[in-house]
Amino acid sequence: MPFLTDTDLQTLWLTLQLATTVTLILLIIGTPIAWWLACTRSWLKGPVATIIAMPLVLPPTVLGFYLLLAMGPQGPIGAFTQSLGLGTLPFSFTGLVVASVIYSMPFVVQPLQNTMEAIGRRPIEVAATLGAGPWDRFFSVVLPLSRPGFITAAILGFAHTVGEFGVVLMIGGSIPGETRLVSVQIYDHVEALQYPQAHALAAVMIGFAFFTLLALYAFQRRHPGSGYKVGI
């Protein structure tokens, strides 16, 4: 029996596709959110930061359940997508992307926010005195100085998406080649009492987690202001 079956390799490839897509989307939408949270003094900062951080403490099945209702035929998101002729999102790759973006958002937004807050106001004020406009200050000062935070956010967002189970099972189910991810495939192997296959795929995930965290620790030792601390 091969170390990994063709089905296992298919789930690995689909998981990598999902994690890559979600990470890119989160970096795009998470950057302005993090910058606003880092700069604003509005009373809305607390509620917005709380909503973003809720996936850290909510059971994944709770979030998945309400996303399933919202994206279903009777939900507001489902009604909207159906009105556009797109059908409903549950049990599709697009639905997995939407759910994963929401579930992994704090792992991207928080490192970016912490890094941007650590920059302080002085570099931005200096750029302003030199005639740089708001957009110029953001792209020429904030983004370059936030590079360690972006790297940390990308690693955490990617790794967290790879390891999802409860949310993706609720939203995607286990459709081969479309929504069956690595975590779901391991679960299916165990349910079918296929322990050798479950061991093989689980070993791949353990290796992925170990080397991802090892790389993150090494990066954070070189860049103490990377915005998010994992472990010690």
Side-chain angles (χ1 to χ4, degrees):
M1 179 179 295
F3 180 66
L4 293 175
T5 66
D6 290 341
T7 304
D8 291 337
L9 293 174
Q10 184 184 55
T11 61
L12 279 170
W13 173 241
L14 187 64
T15 303
L16 292 177
Q17 285 181 295
L18 176 67
T20 301
T21 303
V22 168
T23 302
L24 291 175
I25 292 173
L26 280 173
L27 288 175
I28 292 171
I29 67 175
T31 298
I33 295 173
W35 178 236
W36 181 80
L37 289 171
C39 296
T40 187
R41 296 182 180 179
S42 169
W43 66 270
L44 289 172
K45 178 177 180 177
V48 171
T50 300
I51 291 172
I52 291 173
M54 282 181 69
L56 294 173
V57 295
L58 271 179
T61 49
V62 172
L63 182 60
F65 171 68
Y66 284 108
L67 286 175
L68 185 63
L69 291 180
M71 296 192 294
Q74 307 302 320
I77 298 176
F80 177 70
T81 56
Q82 287 181 103
S83 68
L84 297 177
L86 301 176
T88 54
L89 297 179
F91 309 109
S92 69
F93 184 80
T94 303
L96 288 181
V97 170
V98 174
S100 298
V101 164
I102 296 173
Y103 189 51
S104 294
M105 186 171 291
F107 291 87
V108 172
V109 171
Q110 289 185 354
L112 292 178
Q113 178 187 348
N114 293 339
T115 300
M116 291 173 178
E117 288 176 343
I119 294 173
R121 301 299 306 173
R122 182 164 178 76
I124 301 172
E125 291 170 353
V126 170
T129 61
L130 296 175
W135 288 105
D136 192 24
R137 295 197 295 269
F138 180 76
F139 284 103
S140 62
V141 177
V142 176
L143 289 187
L145 292 178
S146 301
R147 187 176 65 87
F150 276 94
I151 294 174
T152 298
I155 294 173
L156 288 175
F158 186 91
H160 187 254
T161 303
V162 169
E164 290 175 4
F165 175 70
V167 169
V168 297
L169 183 62
M170 293 284 286
I171 298 299
S174 182
I175 304 174
E178 187 169 351
T179 64
R180 184 184 293 173
L181 304 179
V182 169
S183 56
V184 178
Q185 179 76 347
I186 294 173
Y187 178 78
D188 288 345
H189 280 322
V190 173
E191 272 203 322
L193 302 180
Q194 298 170 341
Y195 293 120
Q197 293 92 326
H199 275 303
L201 202 52
V204 172
M205 298 307 297
I206 290 173
F208 169 79
F210 177 81
F211 287 108
T212 297
L213 290 175
L214 187 65
L216 186 58
Y217 290 151
F219 176 76
Q220 289 182 336
R221 282 197 298 270
R222 296 191 188 95
H223 302 84
S226 56
Y228 201 91
K229 293 299 180 185
V230 180
I232 56 175

